[in-house]
Amino acid sequence: MNIVERAKAPTPKFFRILRSIGMALLAISGSIIAAPVALPVAVVSVAGYAALAGGVISVISQITVDDKTNRERAITNRLKKDNQNLPRDGIK
C-alpha cells in the first residue's frame, strides 16, 4: 500500500480525534508566530515547536489505516468485479 492509498483509506476514530487536535495546535501556533505584535522570543520559539508537533501528529494520524474497514472494502470491490459480467436475468 503506497502513501496515496494510505491517505485515502479510512482512519480509526482515535486517530481522527488526534488529527483534529494536531490541526488545532498547528493553527494556534501559526497565529502566534504570525502575530503583528512583538512577543517574547521564548513564546515564538515554543510556538514554532508546537507547530512542528501539530504537523507531525496530523500527518501520522492521517496515514494510519483502519485495517478491518479496508479489508471489508477490498472484499466488496472484489465481489463487484466478479459479478460484473454475470447475466442479470438469473439464467446462467
Side-chain angles (χ1 to χ4, degrees), residues 10-34:
T11 304
K13 183 178 180 182
F14 172 74
F15 287 101
R16 284 187 300 220
I17 294 169
L18 198 60
R19 181 183 59 201
S20 298
I21 291 170
M23 293 298 285
L25 187 63
L26 187 61
I28 291 169
S29 61
S31 64
I32 290 173
I33 291 171

Side-chain angles (χ1 to χ4, degrees), residues 25-26 28-33 39-54:
L25 187 63
L26 187 61
I28 291 169
S29 61
S31 64
I32 290 173
I33 291 171
L39 295 172
V41 174
V43 172
V44 175
S45 179
V46 170
Y49 288 120
L52 177 67

Side-chain angles (χ1 to χ4, degrees), residues 17-87:
I17 294 169
L18 198 60
R19 181 183 59 201
S20 298
I21 291 170
M23 293 298 285
L25 187 63
L26 187 61
I28 291 169
S29 61
S31 64
I32 290 173
I33 291 171
V37 295
L39 295 172
V41 174
V43 172
V44 175
S45 179
V46 170
Y49 288 120
L52 177 67
V56 169
I57 289 171
S58 298
V59 168
I60 297 300
S61 296
Q62 179 61 41
I63 62 173
T64 304
V65 177
D66 188 4
D67 285 336
K68 182 179 177 186
T69 307
N70 201 21
R71 272 188 253 124
E72 290 173 357
R73 184 179 289 170
I75 290 170
T76 304
N77 288 340
R78 191 176 323 123
L79 289 173
K80 284 180 184 178
K81 184 179 178 186
D82 291 343
N83 291 331
Q84 184 176 12
N85 294 323
L86 293 177

